[in-house]
Amino acid sequence: MGKGKRFFIETYGCEMNKSDSLDIAVSLERQGYVRTSDALEADVVVINTCSVRRHAEQRVYGRLGYYRGLKKSGRKDRAIVLAGCMAQRLGREAQRRFPEIAVVAGTSHNLRIPLYLSEYQNTKIPVAKTKLGGYEFSRPEDRRPEGHHAWVTIIKGCSNYCSYCIVPYVRGPELSKPSGDITAEVDALVDRGVTEITLLGQNVNAYGKDSGDISFADLLERLDHISGLRWIRFLTSHPKDFDVDVIRRISGLGKVCRHFHLPLQSGSDRVLSLMNRGYSIRHYMSIVEALNRFVGDFAITTDIIVGFPTETDEDFKKTLSVYEEVGFDDAFTYRYSKRPHIAAGALDGEVDPAVAQDRLERLIDVVRRTEDEKNRSLLGEECEVLVVKKSRKNPSEFLAKTEHGKLVACRPTGGRPTADAPAFGPGSFIRVRIEGISGKTLRGSEVLRRYALSD
Ligand code: SF4
């Protein structure tokens, strides 16, 4: 179908979108398309989009304008595919604004993009498919990991309807992937050299609830038994579904990383209720207490929105105070962005953009200070890290990450690799001593145990 034709993918937004782009790439390759890293030589350009924030959509409009310019000045036959959340939201409207878009493929249609391209090539009539539901998950045998790490989507969609979020409207309700397919996929990935996986979903804790399959904790337990797999991470958790039982079960699993990303969003119960988050600060703190009691040494990161409609300075101070009390390791911080459909759009009490910006900056100061304090407390400590890649800035260094998700720039000790202690490279687990900090990155040296010293 696409024999020898080249495709280029650009991806915006979250990890889910990055994972979807891998699925799109595989579906195109199965039909004979060949991936290129140069958009200018591509026959097909796929723009996998995000709708969560206005700014993300504006960037995509900019890119569509760029490709329109290329079409006018050069090749007329390059096919543009709009995929992802923005494609789902706009549907045919996207083609009315940009007639050069050959295919609009909504979020449930990623794996059918080659089919739609072929339809377009045969008829020259633009295709738009946005019917939600009936997600197709990629097949285990299609997974082609790049390196030691792989994303594994376990649940798609979201049924939560947080009042500020467009995701349920553009991705549809939750749909869990069958647990047997997940274990087969992880088995296949481990056979291909993967040692670390991240389970993905808008709300991984809801896994299995829609389908009656095993629970999220059961799934973790099953994956924990896969030999050759070393680290299991997961993203994103929802505090309302993250309970003491899951935490107790995780505490007995050796491969689940002790790093939890648990979006707080606000420290005010009043704002949380307007956000339709389904939990109180008391519940959130009970999770933190359970993590302390059952897991002990762990990292916790979060997401926070400031400037949500009606948020007062009092509400914002509560957010700062909860942040300090939990002692988060890091946070993604955002200013509220009004989107189509969302319930919060109907709320009165818009926060002055200058006030919201000021709150964001105050929050970022606290985030940076707390992170720095936490990083400093690690100086002199030894820990295991997974080597990710060679540093681009300094070729004698590698970038690695700890179980807690912290980035460490590390140097090999030197010496000659042996059969017992092979040279380290991407995918190796080594022990390092933390010796310094630059910005957000820790600096460390390999502890002398992986090499036999040179004569
Ligand atoms: S849980 Fe809430 S914030 Fe997360 S994707 Fe679902 S609706 Fe959006």
Side-chain angles (χ1 to χ4, degrees):
M1 197 189 285
K3 208 163 183 337
K5 288 192 173 155
R6 285 156 299 184
F7 71 94
F8 173 81
I9 303 188
E10 46 187 278
T11 307
Y12 297 86
C14 62
E15 302 302 345
M16 184 62 87
N17 259 18
K18 290 178 198 162
S19 171
D20 286 347
S21 284
L22 292 177
D23 287 350
I24 294 171
V26 168
S27 68
L28 287 165
E29 282 163 359
R30 286 172 71 87
Q31 298 303 330
Y33 289 89
V34 179
R35 191 165 190 162
T36 171
S37 55
D38 181 358
L40 293 181
E41 66 165 32
D43 302 290
V44 173
V45 170
V46 180
I47 310 179
N48 191 7
T49 60
C50 170
S51 265
V52 168
R53 310 184 63 72
R54 197 178 303 143
H55 175 66
E57 289 201 349
Q58 281 162 348
R59 283 175 67 201
V60 171
Y61 286 130
R63 292 301 287 165
L64 286 168
Y66 167 75
Y67 287 114
R68 170 180 282 177
L70 286 183
K71 204 152 197 166
K72 277 190 188 146
S73 62
R75 284 184 49 177
K76 306 264 182 264
D77 60 343
R78 182 180 291 116
I80 307 290
V81 178
L82 193 73
C85 295
M86 201 173 155
Q88 183 66 42
R89 186 176 88 71
L90 293 174
R92 284 232 179 260
E93 173 61 20
Q95 284 161 328
R96 273 191 281 278
R97 291 193 208 175
F98 289 89
E100 38 291 288
I101 299 174
V103 173
V104 171
T107 51
S108 308
H109 296 258
N110 289 333
L111 300 186
R112 276 168 266 160
I113 286 174
L115 213 71
Y116 303 150
L117 273 169
S118 145
E119 192 179 320
Y120 172 76
Q121 276 146 10
N122 292 334
T123 63
K124 294 292 169 232
I125 299 171
V127 179
K129 302 282 183 184
T130 53
K131 191 162 181 263
L132 266 181
Y135 286 117
E136 290 177 67
F137 290 99
S138 58
R139 296 179 302 192
E141 62 273 23
D142 282 341
R143 295 304 310 272
R144 295 180 205 151
E146 292 162 0
H148 69 279
H149 174 267
W151 300 99
V152 177
T153 301
I154 61 167
I155 180 168
K156 293 199 177 194
C158 182
S159 307
N160 285 308
Y161 293 92
C162 299
S163 67
Y164 53 82
C165 182
I166 195 173
V167 167
Y169 302 94
V170 291
R171 286 196 174 260
E174 283 154 4
L175 182 72
S176 298
K177 185 174 189 168
S179 55
D181 290 0
I182 297 172
T183 39
E185 183 171 341
V186 176
D187 274 332
L189 287 165
V190 170
D191 283 349
R192 288 170 203 159
V194 165
T195 51
E196 180 195 28
I197 56 165
T198 306
L199 306 177
L200 259 190
Q202 246 78 38
N203 176 9
V204 289
N205 308 100
Y207 178 78
K209 288 183 181 169
D210 60 296
S211 58
D213 204 332
I214 60 174
S215 68
F216 181 58
D218 290 337
L219 180 68
L220 287 175
E221 223 158 62
R222 268 199 201 168
L223 298 175
D224 198 70
H225 285 121
I226 294 182
S227 98
L229 181 64
R230 291 284 304 276
W231 278 359
I232 303 169
R233 301 180 184 275
F234 51 85
L235 260 184
T236 292
S237 295
H238 195 306
K240 90 177 159 51
D241 296 314
F242 200 79
D243 57 22
V244 175
D245 180 51
V246 184
I247 295 167
R248 202 182 287 130
R249 304 266 300 272
I250 286 174
S251 70
L253 304 178
K255 294 177 182 173
V256 177
C257 290
R258 274 47 179 163
H259 173 201
F260 305 97
H261 186 76
L262 200 58
L264 171 69
Q265 305 303 10
S266 170
S268 155
D269 280 336
R270 192 189 66 81
V271 174
L272 284 177
S273 164
L274 285 175
M275 287 176 164
N276 194 30
R277 289 289 287 169
Y279 57 86
S280 62
I281 291 303
R282 194 170 166 179
H283 173 73
Y284 193 98
M285 295 311 287
S286 74
I287 299 173
V288 177
E289 270 165 39
L291 286 169
N292 274 313
R293 181 147 39 104
F294 294 107
V295 180
D297 180 25
F298 66 94
I300 181 165
T301 50
T302 196
D303 298 336
I304 294 178
I305 295 172
V306 298
F308 186 82
T310 79
E311 183 192 64
T312 61
D313 216 42
E314 229 17 71
D315 294 318
F316 174 65
K317 280 183 191 148
K318 287 182 183 165
T319 300
L320 291 183
S321 138
V322 173
Y323 195 93
E324 302 255 18
E325 192 179 341
V326 174
F328 288 104
D329 288 78
D330 202 357
F332 292 105
T333 53
Y334 309 90
R335 253 173 63 182
Y336 167 75
S337 173
K338 190 170 172 179
R339 308 300 299 125
H341 305 298
I342 60 171
L347 287 173
D348 289 332
E350 199 171 318
V351 175
D352 181 325
V355 171
Q357 182 60 29
D358 177 62
R359 286 180 191 159
L360 184 64
E361 285 166 19
R362 284 159 64 197
L363 175 61
I364 289 171
D365 282 347
V366 173
V367 170
R368 289 208 182 117
R369 174 173 49 74
T370 320
E371 185 188 15
D372 193 56
E373 283 165 11
K374 288 228 162 188
N375 285 347
R376 284 188 188 287
S377 72
L378 296 173
L379 287 172
E381 298 273 314
E382 273 184 28
C383 59
E384 188 181 41
V385 295
L386 170 57
V387 180
V388 178
K389 59 182 177 187
K390 258 199 163 166
S391 162
R392 258 195 252 151
K393 279 193 207 150
N394 182 348
S396 65
E397 279 186 341
F398 285 84
L399 292 179
K401 64 183 168 185
T402 67
E403 181 185 345
H404 287 179
K406 297 201 183 274
L407 202 60
V408 186
C410 49
R411 281 173 287 113
T413 323
R416 211 176 46 217
T418 68
D420 291 340
F424 81 59
S428 315
F429 285 84
I430 58 165
R431 282 193 77 75
V432 295
R433 181 176 298 110
I434 306 300
E435 294 170 337
I437 303 168
S438 45
K440 288 167 78 82
T441 306
L442 301 169
R443 309 203 77 80
S445 281
E446 184 195 15
V447 177
L448 187 63
R449 63 179 60 189
R450 295 279 295 173
Y451 289 90
L453 283 177
S454 306
D455 307 318

